[in-house]
Structures are given as C-alpha cells and as structure tokens.
Short mmCIF file of all heavy atoms in Angstrom, two decimals:
data_model
loop_
_atom_site.label_atom_id
_atom_site.label_comp_id
_atom_site.label_asym_id
_atom_site.label_seq_id
_atom_site.Cartn_x
_atom_site.Cartn_y
_atom_site.Cartn_z
N LEU A 1 -8.60 5.47 21.07
CA LEU A 1 -7.52 6.02 21.93
C LEU A 1 -8.12 6.15 23.41
O LEU A 1 -9.18 6.77 23.52
CB LEU A 1 -6.98 7.30 21.54
CG LEU A 1 -6.29 7.43 20.18
CD1 LEU A 1 -5.74 8.65 19.86
CD2 LEU A 1 -5.17 6.35 20.18
N VAL A 2 -7.35 5.69 24.31
CA VAL A 2 -7.85 5.79 25.75
C VAL A 2 -6.80 6.37 26.66
O VAL A 2 -5.59 5.93 26.66
CB VAL A 2 -8.22 4.43 26.30
CG1 VAL A 2 -8.66 4.52 27.80
CG2 VAL A 2 -9.45 3.92 25.42
N LEU A 3 -7.19 7.38 27.52
CA LEU A 3 -6.20 7.92 28.60
C LEU A 3 -6.91 7.60 29.79
O LEU A 3 -8.13 7.81 30.01
CB LEU A 3 -6.04 9.25 28.38
CG LEU A 3 -5.34 9.85 27.08
CD1 LEU A 3 -5.25 11.36 27.01
CD2 LEU A 3 -3.83 9.38 27.18
N GLN A 4 -6.05 7.24 30.82
CA GLN A 4 -6.66 7.11 32.17
C GLN A 4 -5.69 7.75 33.27
O GLN A 4 -4.43 7.85 33.01
CB GLN A 4 -6.66 5.54 32.52
CG GLN A 4 -7.61 4.68 31.61
CD GLN A 4 -7.76 3.37 32.13
OE1 GLN A 4 -8.39 3.10 33.10
NE2 GLN A 4 -7.17 2.46 31.25
N SER A 5 -6.39 8.23 34.29
CA SER A 5 -5.56 8.94 35.40
C SER A 5 -6.08 8.29 36.79
O SER A 5 -7.38 8.42 36.92
CB SER A 5 -5.60 10.44 35.25
OG SER A 5 -4.93 10.95 36.37
N TYR A 6 -5.22 8.08 37.66
CA TYR A 6 -5.62 7.67 38.99
C TYR A 6 -5.64 8.71 39.95
O TYR A 6 -5.93 8.53 41.12
CB TYR A 6 -4.69 6.51 39.39
CG TYR A 6 -4.85 5.22 38.47
CD1 TYR A 6 -4.07 5.05 37.43
CD2 TYR A 6 -5.91 4.31 38.68
CE1 TYR A 6 -4.22 3.92 36.49
CE2 TYR A 6 -6.14 3.18 37.84
CZ TYR A 6 -5.20 3.07 36.78
OH TYR A 6 -5.45 2.00 35.94
N GLY A 7 -5.17 10.02 39.57
CA GLY A 7 -5.04 11.10 40.64
C GLY A 7 -5.40 12.32 39.74
O GLY A 7 -5.90 12.43 38.70
N GLU A 8 -5.29 13.47 40.45
CA GLU A 8 -5.66 14.70 39.93
C GLU A 8 -4.71 15.34 38.96
O GLU A 8 -5.04 16.24 38.34
CB GLU A 8 -5.91 15.71 41.12
CG GLU A 8 -6.94 15.43 42.05
CD GLU A 8 -8.38 15.25 41.32
OE1 GLU A 8 -8.62 16.11 40.51
OE2 GLU A 8 -9.11 14.30 41.70
N GLU A 9 -3.57 14.63 38.85
CA GLU A 9 -2.54 15.18 37.86
C GLU A 9 -3.14 15.11 36.37
O GLU A 9 -2.75 15.76 35.53
CB GLU A 9 -1.19 14.60 38.04
CG GLU A 9 -1.12 13.09 37.53
CD GLU A 9 -1.73 12.09 38.47
OE1 GLU A 9 -2.18 12.56 39.45
OE2 GLU A 9 -1.99 10.89 37.96
N GLY A 10 -3.94 14.16 36.23
CA GLY A 10 -4.62 13.96 34.96
C GLY A 10 -6.04 14.10 34.93
O GLY A 10 -6.89 13.31 34.54
N ALA A 11 -6.48 15.25 35.55
CA ALA A 11 -7.98 15.66 35.66
C ALA A 11 -8.41 16.16 34.26
O ALA A 11 -8.47 17.29 34.06
CB ALA A 11 -8.17 16.70 36.74
N TYR A 12 -8.81 15.10 33.47
CA TYR A 12 -9.18 15.48 32.10
C TYR A 12 -10.50 16.27 32.12
O TYR A 12 -11.39 16.02 32.80
CB TYR A 12 -9.31 14.23 31.20
CG TYR A 12 -8.11 13.45 31.24
CD1 TYR A 12 -8.04 12.04 31.74
CD2 TYR A 12 -6.84 13.95 30.71
CE1 TYR A 12 -6.84 11.32 31.67
CE2 TYR A 12 -5.68 13.11 30.75
CZ TYR A 12 -5.64 11.94 31.16
OH TYR A 12 -4.47 11.29 31.19
N THR A 13 -10.47 17.24 31.05
CA THR A 13 -11.66 18.11 30.91
C THR A 13 -12.22 17.93 29.49
O THR A 13 -11.58 17.26 28.69
CB THR A 13 -11.20 19.58 31.18
OG1 THR A 13 -10.28 19.90 30.21
CG2 THR A 13 -10.62 19.71 32.60
N SER A 14 -13.24 18.65 29.37
CA SER A 14 -13.84 18.60 27.90
C SER A 14 -12.82 19.21 26.87
O SER A 14 -12.92 18.90 25.78
CB SER A 14 -15.20 19.50 28.02
OG SER A 14 -14.98 20.80 28.35
N ALA A 15 -12.00 20.14 27.32
CA ALA A 15 -10.99 20.74 26.43
C ALA A 15 -10.00 19.61 26.16
O ALA A 15 -9.63 19.53 24.89
CB ALA A 15 -10.30 21.93 27.16
N ASP A 16 -9.56 18.84 26.99
CA ASP A 16 -8.70 17.62 26.70
C ASP A 16 -9.45 16.64 25.78
O ASP A 16 -8.74 16.11 24.79
CB ASP A 16 -8.29 16.95 28.02
CG ASP A 16 -7.53 17.76 28.91
OD1 ASP A 16 -6.60 18.54 28.40
OD2 ASP A 16 -7.86 17.74 30.10
N GLN A 17 -10.68 16.41 25.90
CA GLN A 17 -11.40 15.61 25.05
C GLN A 17 -11.41 16.12 23.65
O GLN A 17 -11.25 15.40 22.66
CB GLN A 17 -12.91 15.42 25.60
CG GLN A 17 -13.70 14.67 24.57
CD GLN A 17 -15.27 14.66 25.17
OE1 GLN A 17 -15.48 14.19 26.30
NE2 GLN A 17 -16.14 15.03 24.19
N GLU A 18 -11.75 17.39 23.47
CA GLU A 18 -11.74 18.10 22.20
C GLU A 18 -10.26 17.96 21.63
O GLU A 18 -10.19 17.60 20.31
CB GLU A 18 -12.07 19.50 22.33
CG GLU A 18 -12.29 20.32 21.06
CD GLU A 18 -12.59 21.75 21.22
OE1 GLU A 18 -12.96 22.10 22.42
OE2 GLU A 18 -12.52 22.59 20.18
N LEU A 19 -9.27 18.21 22.30
CA LEU A 19 -7.91 18.12 21.78
C LEU A 19 -7.56 16.75 21.22
O LEU A 19 -7.04 16.47 20.16
CB LEU A 19 -6.90 18.52 22.79
CG LEU A 19 -5.51 18.83 22.44
CD1 LEU A 19 -4.85 19.81 23.30
CD2 LEU A 19 -4.70 17.52 22.57
N LEU A 20 -7.89 15.67 22.11
CA LEU A 20 -7.55 14.34 21.79
C LEU A 20 -8.40 13.89 20.56
O LEU A 20 -7.85 13.11 19.72
CB LEU A 20 -7.88 13.34 22.97
CG LEU A 20 -7.38 11.94 22.90
CD1 LEU A 20 -5.79 11.97 22.60
CD2 LEU A 20 -7.86 11.09 24.01
N GLN A 21 -9.62 14.30 20.56
CA GLN A 21 -10.50 13.94 19.32
C GLN A 21 -9.85 14.52 18.10
O GLN A 21 -9.94 13.89 17.05
CB GLN A 21 -11.90 14.37 19.66
CG GLN A 21 -12.92 13.82 18.65
CD GLN A 21 -14.28 14.03 19.11
OE1 GLN A 21 -14.61 14.80 20.17
NE2 GLN A 21 -15.27 13.53 18.50
N PHE A 22 -9.45 15.85 18.19
CA PHE A 22 -8.81 16.50 16.97
C PHE A 22 -7.58 15.63 16.50
O PHE A 22 -7.34 15.40 15.31
CB PHE A 22 -8.40 17.83 17.40
CG PHE A 22 -7.83 18.62 16.25
CD1 PHE A 22 -8.68 19.16 15.27
CD2 PHE A 22 -6.50 18.84 16.19
CE1 PHE A 22 -8.07 19.90 14.21
CE2 PHE A 22 -5.91 19.59 15.26
CZ PHE A 22 -6.70 20.16 14.10
N VAL A 23 -6.80 15.23 17.47
CA VAL A 23 -5.48 14.51 17.03
C VAL A 23 -5.80 13.17 16.60
O VAL A 23 -5.10 12.59 15.75
CB VAL A 23 -4.55 14.37 18.39
CG1 VAL A 23 -3.41 13.52 18.07
CG2 VAL A 23 -3.98 15.85 18.80
N SER A 24 -6.84 12.50 17.07
CA SER A 24 -7.21 11.05 16.80
C SER A 24 -7.46 10.86 15.26
O SER A 24 -7.12 9.84 14.72
CB SER A 24 -8.46 10.67 17.57
OG SER A 24 -9.63 11.29 17.05
N THR A 25 -7.93 11.92 14.55
CA THR A 25 -8.09 11.72 13.02
C THR A 25 -6.82 11.41 12.45
O THR A 25 -6.71 10.58 11.54
CB THR A 25 -8.79 12.96 12.50
OG1 THR A 25 -10.08 13.21 13.20
CG2 THR A 25 -9.02 12.76 11.03
N GLN A 26 -5.75 12.13 12.84
CA GLN A 26 -4.53 12.02 12.19
C GLN A 26 -3.88 10.64 12.65
O GLN A 26 -3.15 9.95 11.88
CB GLN A 26 -3.55 13.07 12.56
CG GLN A 26 -2.16 13.14 11.98
CD GLN A 26 -2.20 13.51 10.51
OE1 GLN A 26 -3.29 14.04 10.08
NE2 GLN A 26 -1.13 13.33 9.78
N VAL A 27 -4.13 10.26 13.94
CA VAL A 27 -3.61 8.97 14.37
C VAL A 27 -4.24 7.83 13.65
O VAL A 27 -3.56 6.89 13.22
CB VAL A 27 -3.93 8.79 15.90
CG1 VAL A 27 -3.63 7.44 16.35
CG2 VAL A 27 -3.16 9.85 16.80
N ALA A 28 -5.59 7.95 13.42
CA ALA A 28 -6.24 6.86 12.57
C ALA A 28 -5.66 6.70 11.24
O ALA A 28 -5.49 5.65 10.64
CB ALA A 28 -7.70 7.16 12.51
N THR A 29 -5.44 7.92 10.56
CA THR A 29 -4.78 7.89 9.20
C THR A 29 -3.36 7.16 9.25
O THR A 29 -3.09 6.33 8.43
CB THR A 29 -4.65 9.32 8.73
OG1 THR A 29 -5.94 9.86 8.66
CG2 THR A 29 -3.95 9.32 7.34
N ALA A 30 -2.57 7.51 10.30
CA ALA A 30 -1.29 6.98 10.45
C ALA A 30 -1.35 5.54 10.73
O ALA A 30 -0.62 4.73 10.07
CB ALA A 30 -0.56 7.67 11.64
N ILE A 31 -2.32 4.96 11.50
CA ILE A 31 -2.45 3.58 11.73
C ILE A 31 -2.82 2.86 10.47
O ILE A 31 -2.24 1.81 10.12
CB ILE A 31 -3.50 3.28 12.89
CG1 ILE A 31 -2.91 3.79 14.31
CG2 ILE A 31 -3.93 1.86 12.89
CD1 ILE A 31 -4.04 3.79 15.31
N GLU A 32 -3.71 3.41 9.72
CA GLU A 32 -4.08 2.67 8.45
C GLU A 32 -3.12 2.62 7.61
O GLU A 32 -2.80 1.70 6.79
CB GLU A 32 -5.32 3.39 7.91
CG GLU A 32 -6.64 3.02 8.58
CD GLU A 32 -7.90 3.27 7.69
OE1 GLU A 32 -7.89 4.16 6.93
OE2 GLU A 32 -8.83 2.33 7.80
N ARG A 33 -2.24 3.82 7.42
CA ARG A 33 -1.15 3.80 6.41
C ARG A 33 -0.06 2.72 6.82
O ARG A 33 0.42 1.98 6.01
CB ARG A 33 -0.50 5.13 6.47
CG ARG A 33 0.58 5.35 5.47
CD ARG A 33 1.24 6.68 5.57
NE ARG A 33 0.33 7.75 5.17
CZ ARG A 33 0.02 8.78 5.77
NH1 ARG A 33 0.62 9.05 6.89
NH2 ARG A 33 -0.89 9.78 5.27
N LYS A 34 0.12 2.68 8.16
CA LYS A 34 1.17 1.59 8.69
C LYS A 34 0.55 0.25 8.47
O LYS A 34 1.43 -0.70 8.06
CB LYS A 34 1.49 1.93 10.05
CG LYS A 34 2.51 1.02 10.63
CD LYS A 34 3.91 1.20 9.91
CE LYS A 34 4.49 2.56 10.19
NZ LYS A 34 5.80 2.75 9.49
N GLN A 35 -0.57 0.01 8.61
CA GLN A 35 -1.25 -1.26 8.41
C GLN A 35 -1.09 -1.78 6.96
O GLN A 35 -0.82 -2.98 6.65
CB GLN A 35 -2.68 -1.34 8.85
CG GLN A 35 -2.86 -1.34 10.39
CD GLN A 35 -4.34 -1.27 10.86
OE1 GLN A 35 -5.10 -0.64 10.06
NE2 GLN A 35 -4.73 -1.87 11.81
N ILE A 36 -1.41 -0.73 5.97
CA ILE A 36 -1.27 -1.13 4.58
C ILE A 36 0.18 -1.37 4.27
O ILE A 36 0.49 -2.46 3.57
CB ILE A 36 -1.74 0.02 3.82
CG1 ILE A 36 -3.38 0.16 3.94
CG2 ILE A 36 -1.41 -0.11 2.32
CD1 ILE A 36 -3.85 1.54 3.32
N HIS A 37 1.08 -0.67 4.87
CA HIS A 37 2.60 -0.88 4.64
C HIS A 37 2.95 -2.20 5.10
O HIS A 37 3.62 -2.99 4.43
CB HIS A 37 3.31 0.24 5.26
CG HIS A 37 4.90 0.09 5.19
ND1 HIS A 37 5.52 0.32 4.03
CD2 HIS A 37 5.64 -0.49 6.10
CE1 HIS A 37 6.79 -0.02 4.18
NE2 HIS A 37 6.93 -0.39 5.45
N GLU A 38 2.48 -2.60 6.38
CA GLU A 38 2.80 -3.88 6.90
C GLU A 38 2.22 -5.05 6.00
O GLU A 38 2.93 -6.04 5.89
CB GLU A 38 2.20 -4.01 8.25
CG GLU A 38 2.89 -3.11 9.33
CD GLU A 38 4.19 -3.74 9.91
OE1 GLU A 38 3.96 -4.76 10.66
OE2 GLU A 38 5.25 -3.29 9.65
N HIS A 39 1.03 -4.79 5.53
CA HIS A 39 0.37 -5.83 4.70
C HIS A 39 1.24 -6.07 3.35
O HIS A 39 1.47 -7.20 3.02
CB HIS A 39 -0.91 -5.48 4.33
CG HIS A 39 -1.71 -6.49 3.53
ND1 HIS A 39 -1.98 -7.81 3.91
CD2 HIS A 39 -2.22 -6.43 2.24
CE1 HIS A 39 -2.63 -8.46 2.98
NE2 HIS A 39 -2.74 -7.63 1.98
N LEU A 40 1.65 -4.87 2.81
CA LEU A 40 2.29 -5.02 1.45
C LEU A 40 3.68 -5.65 1.72
O LEU A 40 4.17 -6.45 1.08
CB LEU A 40 2.49 -3.67 0.98
CG LEU A 40 1.25 -3.06 0.42
CD1 LEU A 40 1.59 -1.54 -0.03
CD2 LEU A 40 0.64 -3.84 -0.68
N ARG A 41 4.44 -5.31 2.92
CA ARG A 41 5.72 -5.91 3.30
C ARG A 41 5.49 -7.37 3.48
O ARG A 41 6.40 -8.23 3.08
CB ARG A 41 6.26 -5.16 4.55
CG ARG A 41 7.66 -5.63 4.96
CD ARG A 41 8.12 -5.14 6.28
NE ARG A 41 7.31 -5.62 7.31
CZ ARG A 41 7.62 -6.69 8.02
NH1 ARG A 41 8.51 -7.40 7.58
NH2 ARG A 41 6.72 -7.12 9.03
N GLN A 42 4.39 -7.77 4.14
CA GLN A 42 4.20 -9.13 4.40
C GLN A 42 3.94 -9.88 3.13
O GLN A 42 4.60 -11.11 2.96
CB GLN A 42 2.89 -9.40 5.27
CG GLN A 42 2.62 -10.70 5.83
CD GLN A 42 3.43 -11.09 6.96
OE1 GLN A 42 4.05 -10.37 7.58
NE2 GLN A 42 3.48 -12.44 7.27
N MET A 43 3.26 -9.36 2.22
CA MET A 43 3.05 -9.97 0.88
C MET A 43 4.42 -10.07 0.15
O MET A 43 4.62 -11.13 -0.51
CB MET A 43 2.00 -9.21 0.04
CG MET A 43 0.66 -9.25 0.69
SD MET A 43 -0.50 -8.23 -0.26
CE MET A 43 -0.39 -8.96 -1.84
N ALA A 44 5.26 -9.12 0.26
CA ALA A 44 6.42 -9.08 -0.45
C ALA A 44 7.46 -10.03 0.02
O ALA A 44 8.37 -10.48 -0.67
CB ALA A 44 7.05 -7.61 -0.56
N GLN A 45 7.50 -10.16 1.37
CA GLN A 45 8.64 -10.88 2.00
C GLN A 45 8.18 -12.27 2.62
O GLN A 45 9.14 -12.99 3.00
CB GLN A 45 9.22 -10.11 3.14
CG GLN A 45 9.75 -8.68 2.58
CD GLN A 45 10.48 -7.91 3.69
OE1 GLN A 45 10.27 -8.16 4.90
NE2 GLN A 45 11.06 -6.69 3.36
#
C-alpha cells in the first residue's frame, strides 16, 4: 500500500506509518479473499 503527498497537508509521520501498517494486515486478508472469490467465480462461469 502506498500513500504520497505533494504538500504539507499529508506530512506523514511514524504514527501514520504504524497506523497504515496495522490496517494493511486486514487489507491483505480482504484482497486474498476477493482474489479467491474471483477465481472461483471465473471457474464457475
């Protein structure tokens, strides 16, 4: 997962890094679940 900011409104800190890293585990699980679902749908249809 990547976030970028061209100004100070998104002055990311180590706290933001920790938060995004915490959320990323759930995101990875969601992506894999959706990929499996897509694969099964592809096989079925």
Side-chain angles (χ1 to χ4, degrees):
L1 291 182
V2 175
L3 294 174
Q4 299 184 67
S5 175
Y6 297 93
E8 294 302 320
E9 74 283 352
Y12 300 121
T13 65
S14 57
D16 295 316
Q17 175 184 306
E18 181 182 349
L19 188 151
L20 190 63
Q21 196 169 5
F22 181 75
V23 171
S24 69
T25 302
Q26 187 72 13
V27 172
T29 300
I31 290 173
E32 282 205 325
R33 182 181 296 131
K34 185 61 68 177
Q35 286 176 327
I36 292 171
H37 176 78
E38 290 276 293
H39 180 65
L40 293 175
R41 185 185 67 84
Q42 187 79 16
M43 291 177 61
Q45 298 182 354

